[in-house]
Amino acid sequence: MSITKQGQEFIIKDTHRGLWYEDGKLTKVLEAGRYEIPPQRRWFQRLPTVECVVVDIRERDLTIKGQEILTADKVAIRVSILVQYRVIDAKAAIQNVENYEERLYSDVQLAARRSLASMNLEDILTNRNRLSEDILAEVKESAAGYGVAIRRADVKDLIFPGNLQEIMNRVLAAERNSQAQLVEAKTKAEVDEIQAKTRAEAKRRDAEAEAVVRRLQVEVEA
């Protein structure tokens, strides 16, 4: 928000900071308090043209939705990311980049692409936190350069190709069913039998998933 009207009084809250410009030059950063834009002339003396830009320094959320990214093994995954951030240096946020929110969006988007491009499907399935950690580590430093502190960057959703998603759903359902059967088993023989069936089913599902991934790779390469 920019305030330029001569004689206008305004209040800056604790949740904001103000950048005071005189003839386009930043002269001070305003803390919370009451201020007034002075007139441009006093008697026969011309005074500087004053503008105050107010910057919100509260913690905010930025959601990056539905980015389709290829993994290292050429599987297309759609990912949504939630970033929590706040401006800690109002001067850098306004002076160093044209729009710090748009810049943060781009930085997170590119960091996610670089991280996923270095991971294969198995990495993503077994270590989902790695993507969040990679994004946070990469963006934290660059955002500090334009006055923004990143508190956290979390992957909200991962959406896989249709056939692969169906397989994963069956895997989860089978795992839940196996766990329920183990709880109900009364003898070691029953436990051994259930575990053997679970291992066989896991091998079958893994083979099915690998087949889908290979088919997707062939389609991508084609």
Side-chain angles (χ1 to χ4, degrees), residues 91-215:
K91 176 182 176 181
I94 299 301
Q95 299 272 101
N96 292 1
V97 290
E98 182 177 358
N99 186 310
Y100 65 87
E101 291 178 307
E102 291 180 0
R103 176 64 176 272
L104 179 59
Y105 188 101
S106 299
D107 284 350
V108 173
Q109 187 181 50
L110 292 172
R113 290 185 180 278
R114 280 191 285 268
S115 179
L116 277 177
S118 69
M119 301 168 67
N120 57 40
L121 185 60
E122 184 179 354
D123 294 334
I124 297 167
L125 295 176
T126 57
N127 188 8
R128 179 169 169 170
N129 289 336
R130 176 184 159 187
L131 177 57
S132 298
E133 292 166 357
D134 286 353
I135 294 171
L136 182 60
E138 182 171 340
V139 176
K140 204 169 186 177
E141 184 176 352
S142 61
Y146 47 90
V148 173
I150 310 297
R151 194 173 78 82
R152 61 189 296 178
D154 292 329
V155 175
K156 288 180 64 179
D157 298 300
L158 280 173
I159 302 175
F160 298 90
N163 291 344
L164 191 58
Q165 188 70 49
E166 292 175 9
I167 293 171
M168 291 178 62
N169 290 339
R170 291 202 299 270
V171 168
L172 293 174
E175 287 177 351
R176 287 194 294 267
N177 184 55
S178 297
Q179 290 171 357
Q181 288 178 328
L182 284 171
V183 171
E184 295 173 358
K186 296 179 180 178
T187 68
K188 184 177 184 302
E190 290 176 330
V191 172
D192 291 343
E193 183 181 355
I194 292 171
Q195 289 178 337
K197 289 180 179 179
T198 301
R199 286 193 293 270
E201 178 66 14
K203 288 182 180 180
R204 185 187 66 77
R205 291 193 301 266
D206 288 344
E208 190 175 354
E210 288 177 5
V212 171
V213 170
R214 284 196 297 271
R215 179 176 61 77

